[in-house]
Amino acid sequence: MIAQRVGVAALRRGARPLAFDQLPKVAMATGIQARPVATAKVSQEDGHQILVKQRLRRPISPHLGIYKIEQTWLGHSAWTRITGCTLSGAAYAYFTAYLVAPLLGWHLESASLVSAFATLPFAVKGGVKFALGFPFAYHFINGLRHLWFDMGRGFSKSSIKKGEMALWTSSILSGLYLAFGL
């Protein structure tokens, strides 16, 4: 804001060179107040006491317990990072295990994984697929939401709350669809 005022003041002056007698006018135009600086020599102990008094007058940020915990408190941006880390962590763990499997005598080829997964109960299979499908769906849908925010839209409080509910609902339904194909 100050930069804009300085720019406007410079345009109004035209191409005239800035003289030192014009400096207070420029300072007044930009809203900057000039005052003389006075220094005084103080002892180290007096300086420490001044510092202690200044620290006592500083504002203290409130404790997190005073805030009302809502969905927006641990909002969509944090959950996007959490789901992204979950997906990439699972991928890194699998690919690392796949690389060291021959050295350890494990069988992580596709055929053995498919046959091992087929022997699991339906609920366990669905749980594993949902544990991978939900973070994927949430991360994808919220990525689209972030692109919407990048266009400068959807920043009203009601829009954010409605978007949060739509995001969670569509992510859970998409995760269930990916897990069970309902």
Side-chain angles (χ1 to χ4, degrees):
M1 190 72 171
I2 291 175
Q4 290 175 343
R5 289 181 183 169
V6 170
V8 170
L11 287 174
R12 286 182 183 157
R13 281 194 314 272
R16 293 183 305 189
L18 180 65
F20 286 108
D21 61 333
Q22 294 176 339
L23 190 58
K25 293 178 189 174
V26 173
M28 287 177 53
T30 59
I32 299 172
Q33 297 178 358
R35 61 183 174 137
V37 177
T39 60
K41 279 194 165 189
V42 293
S43 68
Q44 192 171 6
E45 182 60 36
D46 290 341
H48 181 68
Q49 290 302 322
I50 292 171
L51 186 61
V52 168
K53 288 177 186 174
Q54 287 176 347
R55 285 181 181 161
L56 289 175
R57 289 186 299 218
R58 287 183 187 163
I60 301 170
S61 59
H63 191 270
L64 291 176
I66 71 162
Y67 296 109
K68 188 174 164 185
I69 297 177
E70 294 179 350
Q71 181 58 43
T72 55
W73 189 65
L74 183 64
H76 54 88
S77 183
W79 279 106
T80 301
R81 288 179 176 91
I82 291 167
T83 55
C85 288
T86 301
L87 291 171
S88 60
Y92 279 125
Y94 170 72
F95 293 133
T96 303
Y98 187 81
L99 285 174
V100 298
L103 301 173
L104 300 175
W106 297 344
H107 293 283
L108 292 180
E109 349 12 87
S110 298
S112 61
L113 287 178
V114 168
S115 63
F117 197 74
T119 61
L120 295 174
F122 179 75
V124 174
K125 283 193 261 188
V128 168
K129 289 194 284 187
F130 184 76
L132 291 172
F134 169 74
F136 176 78
Y138 187 92
H139 195 76
F140 178 75
I141 295 167
N142 207 14
L144 295 176
R145 188 171 181 222
H146 272 279
L147 290 174
W148 185 252
F149 285 160
D150 288 343
M151 289 189 282
R153 298 192 176 129
F155 282 115
S156 68
K157 191 169 186 174
S158 63
S159 173
I160 288 174
K161 287 190 180 271
K162 288 177 186 173
E164 286 286 332
M165 291 307 297
L167 173 67
W168 281 98
T169 303
S170 61
S171 297
I172 290 171
L173 291 176
S174 298
L176 289 172
Y177 178 76
L178 290 172
F180 300 106
L182 300 175

